[in-house]
Amino acid sequence: MSGITTTTNGHAASPSHLAADAPEPLEVLWRPYTLVWIIMIGEALAMAMSLSPGVSGDRLILFGLNSLAIQWTSLLCLGLLYLFRKPLQKHRPTTIATAALGALLLSTCTTYLLLWLLLDGAVPAPNEGWRQLLFHMVALSLIFGLLGVAAFQSHWRNRLLALQAKQAELDALRARVDPHFLFNALNSAVALVRQNPSASERLLVDLADLFRAALARSGTVPLTRELELSHQYLDIEATRFGERLTLDWRVPDSLPTLLIPSLSLQPLIENAIRHGIEPSLHGGTLAVSVDVDPDWVTIQISNPVQAGTREATTGHQLGLRSTRSRLDAHFGGKAVVDTTTASDTHLTTVKLPRR
């Protein structure tokens, strides 16, 4: 599709959303079996440290100190993550994993400094001294934390892929084949039969293409096809708004060969219409642009924001969570989906890695 600017009309449908919200990355930390495993791993680590070659002195006392420090470090780290769970859950899983690593290092330093202050003189100091022991434990926390981040990223991606595989087809049927969207489209086609038969035929062809994509077994399509389906969706909606909707469609003639989840952009376009165009008596301009560079494909969708309303923000979050979870699973967490609102314009940006 070439870069064009056209005037179309339409009515918001209900494109695909995930049947269930993506699971929160921190949820697993509060489960009883997770806490039991953390305690058991901590005790095993304390025992390994106290029994390791080269350790002299009373190994039982050393085991007690290490056990006390490790368990308090773990509990303090979990407490920090729980305290900041709400702001953390707004970020990407990779950011949450990095924050957890930082919380682990901070908890390690805090715990061992407290032990140093409270136990210095009360129990025999370790052979290497409290200061050197602190450095050793921080280094161990960093090593185990990095291993944990790597394991978490692998686990989280596999979990999202499993959810996507189980829910994608059901989500497509439940959300994309929306009765309201179907009835609106068919009613519009009936209204055009006598006035403009060719337009009625074109609308039905576009509707058939969208249903074919929704029912397709393949979960991914080329980027060019995804943009064509998005344009067909807007063409179907074109029979509803008339002059109230102006579409600014800017897509380069040549696009890279890139597979993305089928109809993953449609929730963002639907939200732009529903929360940007539909509430306004005068409508507005919905702009879709695609920029390509050697590393990224950037897709931007902008729509007007009606003064004095906050509905757009809430509505966009629903489509964002659906699109972000699907793209995260497909691109291994490297895709970026973000939004900004400046004055009277809401902008949604989707960045897809080419490699």
Short mmCIF file of all heavy atoms in Angstrom, two decimals, residues 91-131:
data_model
loop_
_atom_site.label_atom_id
_atom_site.label_comp_id
_atom_site.label_asym_id
_atom_site.label_seq_id
_atom_site.Cartn_x
_atom_site.Cartn_y
_atom_site.Cartn_z
N HIS A 91 5.16 -1.77 34.49
CA HIS A 91 6.32 -1.85 33.61
C HIS A 91 6.41 -3.23 32.97
O HIS A 91 5.69 -4.16 33.34
CB HIS A 91 7.60 -1.54 34.39
CG HIS A 91 7.67 -0.15 34.92
ND1 HIS A 91 8.08 0.92 34.16
CD2 HIS A 91 7.35 0.37 36.14
CE1 HIS A 91 8.03 2.03 34.88
NE2 HIS A 91 7.60 1.72 36.08
N ARG A 92 7.33 -3.34 32.03
CA ARG A 92 7.53 -4.59 31.31
C ARG A 92 8.18 -5.63 32.22
O ARG A 92 8.88 -5.29 33.19
CB ARG A 92 8.41 -4.34 30.09
CG ARG A 92 7.80 -3.37 29.09
CD ARG A 92 8.85 -2.80 28.17
NE ARG A 92 9.55 -3.85 27.45
CZ ARG A 92 9.09 -4.41 26.33
NH1 ARG A 92 7.94 -4.02 25.83
NH2 ARG A 92 9.78 -5.35 25.71
N PRO A 93 7.97 -6.93 31.94
CA PRO A 93 8.56 -7.97 32.79
C PRO A 93 10.07 -7.88 32.93
O PRO A 93 10.61 -8.15 34.00
CB PRO A 93 8.15 -9.27 32.06
CG PRO A 93 6.88 -8.91 31.36
CD PRO A 93 7.05 -7.49 30.93
N THR A 94 10.78 -7.49 31.85
CA THR A 94 12.23 -7.37 31.95
C THR A 94 12.63 -6.25 32.92
O THR A 94 13.61 -6.38 33.64
CB THR A 94 12.82 -7.09 30.57
OG1 THR A 94 12.13 -5.99 29.95
CG2 THR A 94 12.69 -8.31 29.67
N THR A 95 11.86 -5.17 32.93
CA THR A 95 12.13 -4.08 33.88
C THR A 95 11.86 -4.53 35.31
O THR A 95 12.61 -4.19 36.23
CB THR A 95 11.25 -2.86 33.54
OG1 THR A 95 11.49 -2.47 32.20
CG2 THR A 95 11.57 -1.69 34.47
N ILE A 96 10.82 -5.31 35.50
CA ILE A 96 10.50 -5.83 36.83
C ILE A 96 11.61 -6.75 37.32
O ILE A 96 12.01 -6.71 38.49
CB ILE A 96 9.15 -6.58 36.79
CG1 ILE A 96 8.02 -5.59 36.47
CG2 ILE A 96 8.89 -7.27 38.12
CD1 ILE A 96 6.67 -6.25 36.31
N ALA A 97 12.14 -7.59 36.42
CA ALA A 97 13.24 -8.49 36.81
C ALA A 97 14.47 -7.70 37.22
O ALA A 97 15.15 -8.04 38.19
CB ALA A 97 13.57 -9.42 35.65
N THR A 98 14.78 -6.63 36.50
CA THR A 98 15.92 -5.78 36.85
C THR A 98 15.71 -5.11 38.20
O THR A 98 16.63 -5.02 39.03
CB THR A 98 16.15 -4.73 35.77
OG1 THR A 98 16.33 -5.37 34.50
CG2 THR A 98 17.38 -3.88 36.08
N ALA A 99 14.47 -4.64 38.45
CA ALA A 99 14.16 -4.02 39.74
C ALA A 99 14.29 -5.04 40.87
O ALA A 99 14.76 -4.71 41.97
CB ALA A 99 12.75 -3.43 39.71
N ALA A 100 13.90 -6.29 40.62
CA ALA A 100 14.03 -7.34 41.63
C ALA A 100 15.50 -7.60 41.96
O ALA A 100 15.85 -7.83 43.12
CB ALA A 100 13.35 -8.61 41.15
N LEU A 101 16.35 -7.57 40.94
CA LEU A 101 17.78 -7.75 41.17
C LEU A 101 18.33 -6.62 42.04
O LEU A 101 19.11 -6.83 42.97
CB LEU A 101 18.53 -7.81 39.84
CG LEU A 101 20.06 -7.91 39.91
CD1 LEU A 101 20.48 -9.16 40.67
CD2 LEU A 101 20.66 -7.91 38.50
N GLY A 102 17.90 -5.38 41.73
CA GLY A 102 18.32 -4.25 42.55
C GLY A 102 17.83 -4.37 43.99
O GLY A 102 18.56 -4.06 44.94
N ALA A 103 16.59 -4.85 44.16
CA ALA A 103 16.05 -5.03 45.52
C ALA A 103 16.82 -6.10 46.27
O ALA A 103 17.06 -5.98 47.48
CB ALA A 103 14.57 -5.41 45.43
N LEU A 104 17.27 -7.15 45.57
CA LEU A 104 18.06 -8.20 46.21
C LEU A 104 19.40 -7.67 46.70
O LEU A 104 19.83 -7.95 47.83
CB LEU A 104 18.26 -9.36 45.23
CG LEU A 104 19.14 -10.52 45.73
CD1 LEU A 104 18.53 -11.17 46.95
CD2 LEU A 104 19.35 -11.53 44.62
N LEU A 105 20.08 -6.89 45.86
CA LEU A 105 21.37 -6.33 46.27
C LEU A 105 21.21 -5.36 47.43
O LEU A 105 22.01 -5.35 48.38
CB LEU A 105 22.03 -5.63 45.07
CG LEU A 105 22.41 -6.54 43.90
CD1 LEU A 105 23.00 -5.72 42.76
CD2 LEU A 105 23.40 -7.61 44.34
N LEU A 106 20.17 -4.52 47.38
CA LEU A 106 19.92 -3.58 48.48
C LEU A 106 19.61 -4.33 49.77
O LEU A 106 20.09 -3.96 50.85
CB LEU A 106 18.77 -2.65 48.10
CG LEU A 106 18.35 -1.63 49.16
CD1 LEU A 106 19.50 -0.69 49.49
CD2 LEU A 106 17.13 -0.83 48.69
N SER A 107 18.81 -5.38 49.67
CA SER A 107 18.46 -6.17 50.85
C SER A 107 19.70 -6.86 51.44
O SER A 107 19.85 -6.94 52.67
CB SER A 107 17.41 -7.22 50.49
OG SER A 107 16.25 -6.60 49.97
N THR A 108 20.58 -7.36 50.57
CA THR A 108 21.81 -8.00 51.04
C THR A 108 22.67 -7.03 51.83
O THR A 108 23.14 -7.34 52.93
CB THR A 108 22.60 -8.56 49.85
OG1 THR A 108 21.80 -9.50 49.14
CG2 THR A 108 23.87 -9.25 50.32
N CYS A 109 22.88 -5.85 51.27
CA CYS A 109 23.70 -4.85 51.96
C CYS A 109 23.08 -4.44 53.29
O CYS A 109 23.76 -4.36 54.32
CB CYS A 109 23.87 -3.62 51.07
SG CYS A 109 24.84 -3.91 49.57
N THR A 110 21.76 -4.21 53.29
CA THR A 110 21.08 -3.78 54.51
C THR A 110 21.15 -4.85 55.59
O THR A 110 21.46 -4.55 56.76
CB THR A 110 19.61 -3.46 54.20
OG1 THR A 110 19.54 -2.45 53.19
CG2 THR A 110 18.90 -2.97 55.44
N THR A 111 20.89 -6.10 55.23
CA THR A 111 20.89 -7.19 56.21
C THR A 111 22.26 -7.39 56.83
O THR A 111 22.40 -7.49 58.07
CB THR A 111 20.42 -8.49 55.55
OG1 THR A 111 19.09 -8.31 55.03
CG2 THR A 111 20.42 -9.63 56.55
N TYR A 112 23.29 -7.42 55.99
CA TYR A 112 24.63 -7.68 56.53
C TYR A 112 25.18 -6.48 57.31
O TYR A 112 25.95 -6.66 58.27
CB TYR A 112 25.58 -8.09 55.41
CG TYR A 112 25.54 -9.58 55.19
CD1 TYR A 112 24.56 -10.14 54.40
CD2 TYR A 112 26.43 -10.43 55.82
CE1 TYR A 112 24.47 -11.51 54.21
CE2 TYR A 112 26.38 -11.80 55.65
CZ TYR A 112 25.39 -12.34 54.84
OH TYR A 112 25.30 -13.69 54.68
N LEU A 113 24.80 -5.28 56.96
CA LEU A 113 25.20 -4.13 57.77
C LEU A 113 24.55 -4.18 59.14
O LEU A 113 25.17 -3.85 60.16
CB LEU A 113 24.84 -2.84 57.03
CG LEU A 113 25.72 -2.48 55.83
CD1 LEU A 113 25.19 -1.24 55.11
CD2 LEU A 113 27.17 -2.24 56.26
N LEU A 114 23.26 -4.60 59.17
CA LEU A 114 22.58 -4.73 60.46
C LEU A 114 23.21 -5.83 61.30
O LEU A 114 23.40 -5.67 62.53
CB LEU A 114 21.09 -5.01 60.23
CG LEU A 114 20.26 -3.84 59.71
CD1 LEU A 114 18.83 -4.29 59.41
CD2 LEU A 114 20.25 -2.69 60.72
N LEU A 115 23.53 -6.96 60.68
CA LEU A 115 24.19 -8.04 61.43
C LEU A 115 25.54 -7.59 61.96
O LEU A 115 25.94 -7.94 63.09
CB LEU A 115 24.35 -9.26 60.53
CG LEU A 115 23.08 -10.04 60.19
CD1 LEU A 115 23.39 -11.17 59.22
CD2 LEU A 115 22.45 -10.60 61.45
N TRP A 116 26.24 -6.85 61.14
CA TRP A 116 27.54 -6.34 61.56
C TRP A 116 27.40 -5.46 62.80
O TRP A 116 28.14 -5.59 63.78
CB TRP A 116 28.15 -5.57 60.39
CG TRP A 116 29.57 -5.11 60.63
CD1 TRP A 116 30.33 -5.28 61.75
CD2 TRP A 116 30.38 -4.40 59.70
NE1 TRP A 116 31.56 -4.72 61.59
CE2 TRP A 116 31.63 -4.16 60.33
CE3 TRP A 116 30.19 -3.94 58.41
CZ2 TRP A 116 32.66 -3.49 59.69
CZ3 TRP A 116 31.20 -3.27 57.78
CH2 TRP A 116 32.43 -3.05 58.40
N LEU A 117 26.42 -4.56 62.79
CA LEU A 117 26.24 -3.64 63.90
C LEU A 117 25.72 -4.34 65.14
O LEU A 117 26.12 -4.03 66.28
CB LEU A 117 25.27 -2.52 63.49
CG LEU A 117 25.77 -1.57 62.40
CD1 LEU A 117 24.66 -0.58 62.01
CD2 LEU A 117 27.00 -0.80 62.88
N LEU A 118 24.82 -5.33 64.96
CA LEU A 118 24.18 -5.97 66.10
C LEU A 118 25.01 -7.10 66.70
O LEU A 118 24.97 -7.32 67.93
CB LEU A 118 22.80 -6.51 65.68
CG LEU A 118 21.77 -5.47 65.26
CD1 LEU A 118 20.50 -6.15 64.78
CD2 LEU A 118 21.46 -4.52 66.42
N LEU A 119 25.77 -7.82 65.86
CA LEU A 119 26.46 -9.01 66.34
C LEU A 119 27.95 -8.82 66.54
O LEU A 119 28.62 -9.71 67.06
CB LEU A 119 26.23 -10.17 65.37
CG LEU A 119 24.77 -10.60 65.18
CD1 LEU A 119 24.69 -11.78 64.21
CD2 LEU A 119 24.12 -10.95 66.51
N ASP A 120 28.50 -7.70 66.10
CA ASP A 120 29.93 -7.48 66.25
C ASP A 120 30.30 -7.42 67.74
O ASP A 120 29.81 -6.56 68.48
CB ASP A 120 30.34 -6.17 65.57
CG ASP A 120 31.85 -6.03 65.50
OD1 ASP A 120 32.54 -7.08 65.57
OD2 ASP A 120 32.34 -4.89 65.37
N GLY A 121 31.08 -8.34 68.15
CA GLY A 121 31.45 -8.44 69.56
C GLY A 121 30.61 -9.44 70.32
O GLY A 121 31.04 -9.97 71.35
N ALA A 122 29.40 -9.71 69.86
CA ALA A 122 28.53 -10.68 70.53
C ALA A 122 28.87 -12.10 70.13
O ALA A 122 28.71 -13.04 70.92
CB ALA A 122 27.07 -10.38 70.22
N VAL A 123 29.31 -12.29 68.88
CA VAL A 123 29.71 -13.61 68.39
C VAL A 123 31.08 -13.46 67.75
O VAL A 123 31.47 -12.35 67.34
CB VAL A 123 28.69 -14.17 67.36
CG1 VAL A 123 27.33 -14.37 68.02
CG2 VAL A 123 28.57 -13.25 66.17
N PRO A 124 31.83 -14.55 67.64
CA PRO A 124 33.14 -14.45 67.00
C PRO A 124 33.01 -13.97 65.56
O PRO A 124 32.13 -14.41 64.81
CB PRO A 124 33.67 -15.89 67.05
CG PRO A 124 32.92 -16.54 68.18
CD PRO A 124 31.57 -15.90 68.18
N ALA A 125 33.87 -13.05 65.19
CA ALA A 125 33.83 -12.53 63.83
C ALA A 125 34.31 -13.58 62.85
O ALA A 125 35.16 -14.42 63.19
CB ALA A 125 34.71 -11.28 63.71
N PRO A 126 33.79 -13.60 61.64
CA PRO A 126 34.30 -14.53 60.62
C PRO A 126 35.78 -14.31 60.39
O PRO A 126 36.33 -13.22 60.63
CB PRO A 126 33.48 -14.17 59.37
CG PRO A 126 32.26 -13.47 59.90
CD PRO A 126 32.71 -12.75 61.13
N ASN A 127 36.46 -15.37 59.94
CA ASN A 127 37.91 -15.29 59.73
C ASN A 127 38.28 -14.15 58.80
O ASN A 127 39.30 -13.47 59.01
CB ASN A 127 38.42 -16.62 59.16
CG ASN A 127 38.30 -17.74 60.19
OD1 ASN A 127 38.27 -17.48 61.38
ND2 ASN A 127 38.22 -18.98 59.71
N GLU A 128 37.51 -13.95 57.72
CA GLU A 128 37.85 -12.91 56.77
C GLU A 128 37.39 -11.53 57.22
O GLU A 128 37.65 -10.53 56.55
CB GLU A 128 37.25 -13.24 55.40
CG GLU A 128 35.72 -13.21 55.33
CD GLU A 128 35.11 -14.55 55.65
OE1 GLU A 128 35.69 -15.27 56.49
OE2 GLU A 128 34.07 -14.89 55.07
N GLY A 129 36.66 -11.47 58.36
CA GLY A 129 36.18 -10.19 58.84
C GLY A 129 34.80 -9.87 58.26
O GLY A 129 34.40 -10.36 57.21
N TRP A 130 34.06 -9.02 59.00
CA TRP A 130 32.71 -8.68 58.58
C TRP A 130 32.70 -7.94 57.24
O TRP A 130 31.82 -8.16 56.40
CB TRP A 130 32.05 -7.81 59.65
CG TRP A 130 31.73 -8.55 60.91
CD1 TRP A 130 32.43 -8.54 62.08
CD2 TRP A 130 30.62 -9.44 61.13
NE1 TRP A 130 31.86 -9.35 63.02
CE2 TRP A 130 30.72 -9.91 62.46
CE3 TRP A 130 29.56 -9.87 60.34
CZ2 TRP A 130 29.80 -10.79 63.01
CZ3 TRP A 130 28.63 -10.74 60.89
CH2 TRP A 130 28.76 -11.20 62.19
N ARG A 131 33.66 -7.04 57.04
CA ARG A 131 33.67 -6.25 55.81
C ARG A 131 33.87 -7.15 54.58
O ARG A 131 33.16 -7.05 53.59
CB ARG A 131 34.77 -5.20 55.87
CG ARG A 131 34.72 -4.19 54.73
CD ARG A 131 35.97 -3.31 54.77
NE ARG A 131 36.13 -2.67 56.06
CZ ARG A 131 35.57 -1.51 56.38
NH1 ARG A 131 34.81 -0.88 55.50
NH2 ARG A 131 35.77 -1.00 57.58
#
